[in-house]
């Protein structure tokens, strides 16, 4: 019965086995929507790409301000004083906008998940794999970022290093994706798609609606959250986890004294110790007796909220000089009374130490610091992430 099969050279046989799997018999779902095309993907993709680019650059800035390489630690910029406020505000705002853009982009392209056969060649397999990495890493970044600004950590890993590492994976796969799709991006970038003149014209109305809707959603998300850092819009800050004015002394609190294990009772014997060639210790009264400076500086939290405040206290530079340190040359290690926590100990490069605006602050907005804002003393320095504005300070070590 089988003898009718013609004899074939061996090398052809593996290729002939494929149809035996009857792949074409499986029917992939049909998609009728007209906007699942490369033109929509390009239109939304370029905004998404721009948002991710801003997120990546501002994220790198934030990372290196918090973990500078040794060579740079003493030379980080302290001006403009609102620099970090701007970059981190942008980081969170573009990250939130990217959530909307990413969902629309995925909606535009998801029918491709069902292409048949699922793998056509090694090249096709690699391309799909790279898209899988891109989608997974992009979703991971925006959703871990979102949960982080809500201070909800339903995962076993630590957010900062993982968010930083995956940023490189996401950025690499975006660049690869742009390279692979360059011909299509080019063809659909302009007002009319090249080569398919009829198609965009026919879909123009639908596409405009989709893009307008997307723009409106991005606008709404931005408008209702950006007031957490862009304070002129604070009145419409309805959805951000923090309102810049809500908190004791008109300033939010990230970590309370109770959470940090700091209590009024534990402060009775408090002294500010300053170590260096000529170490000394000061009571709060003695600190208040030193020349007080008044500065206006923002707290800019990595989680996106930021607000300007008036601070009063003693220049770190004066305290360091009194201990025999050399402002501009020496870095300082600051230790908090906090029992444990990632921000108990902070190091400040020589540039911040030297800056006349860097204070051991004793008062905020005209009143002695409240316990939650770091009573008896805290650090406030220009152009620095909020996490490094250490509260409940009890030791400065000239390094
Ligand atoms: N010792 C200590 N200081 C700290 C923190 C902390 O957890 N421990 N949190 C920091 C963070 S994340 C921010 S944003 C600022 C907020 O200061 P505020 O609570 O006075 O607004 O304090 C910083 N100082
Ligand atoms: Mo923060």
């Amino acid at each position: 019965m089988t003898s009718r099969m013609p004899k074939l050279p061996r090398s052809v046989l593996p290729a002939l086995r494929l149809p035996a799997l009857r792949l074409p018999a499986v029917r992939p779902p049909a998609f009728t929507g007209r906007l699942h095309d490369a033109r929509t993907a390009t239109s939304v993709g370029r905004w998404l790409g721009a948002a991710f680019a801003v997120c990546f650059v501002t994220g790198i800035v934030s990372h290196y301000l918090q973990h500078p390489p040794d060579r740079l630690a003493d030379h980080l910029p302290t001006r403009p004083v609102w620099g970090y406020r701007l970059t981190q505000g942008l980081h969170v705002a573009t990250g939130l906008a990217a959530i909307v853009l990413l969902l629309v982009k995925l909606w535009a392209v998801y029918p491709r998940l069902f292409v048949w056969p699922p793998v056509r060649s090694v090249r096709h397999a690699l391309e799909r794999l790279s898209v899988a990495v891109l989608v997974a890493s992009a979703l991971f970044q925006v959703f871990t970022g979102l949960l982080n600004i809500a201070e909800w950590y339903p995962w076993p890993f630590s957010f900062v290093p993982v968010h930083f590492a995956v940023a490189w994976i996401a950025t690499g796969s975006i660049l690869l994706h742009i390279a692979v799709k360059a011909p299509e991006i080019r063809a659909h970038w302009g007002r009319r798609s090249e080569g398919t003149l009829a198609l965009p014209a026919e879909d123009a109305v639908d596409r405009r609606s989709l893009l307008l809707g997307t723009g409106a959603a991005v606008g709404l998300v931005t408008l209702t959250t950006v007031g957490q850092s862009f304070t002129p819009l604070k009145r419409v800050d309805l959805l951000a986890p923090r309102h810049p004015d809500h908190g004791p002394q008109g300033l939010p609190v990230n970590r309370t004294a109770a959470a940090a294990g700091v209590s009024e009772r534990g402060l009775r014997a408090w002294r500010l110790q300053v170590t260096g060639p000529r170490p000394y210790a000061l009571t709060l009264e003695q600190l208040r007796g030193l020349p007080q400076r008044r500065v206006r500086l923002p707290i800019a939290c990595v989680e996106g909220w930021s607000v300007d405040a008036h601070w009063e206290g003693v220049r770190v530079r004066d305290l360091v000089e009194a201990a025999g340190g050399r402002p501009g040359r020496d870095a300082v290690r600051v230790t908090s009374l906090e029992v444990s926590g990632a921000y108990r100990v902070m190091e400040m490069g020589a540039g911040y130490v030297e800056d006349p605006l860097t204070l051991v602050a004793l008062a905020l907005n005209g009143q002695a610091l409240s316990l939650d804002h770091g009573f008896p003393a805290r650090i406030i320095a220009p152009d620095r992430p909020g996490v490094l504005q250490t509260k409940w300070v009890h030791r400065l070590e000239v390094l």
Side-chain angles (χ1 to χ4, degrees), residues 254-255 299-305 343 385-388:
N254 244 34
R255 190 162 167 82
I299 288 262
C301 181
V302 293
E303 277 129 38
W305 62 268
Y343 307 112
V387 285
L388 303 177

Side-chain angles (χ1 to χ4, degrees), residues 4 125 179 203 215 228 232-233 247 249 302 312 318 330 333 340 345 385:
R4 256 195 256 148
D203 289 348
Q228 66 176 326
L233 285 179
Q249 300 178 293
V302 293
E312 238 177 284
D318 296 347
D330 296 329
R333 181 182 300 131
S340 66
V345 179

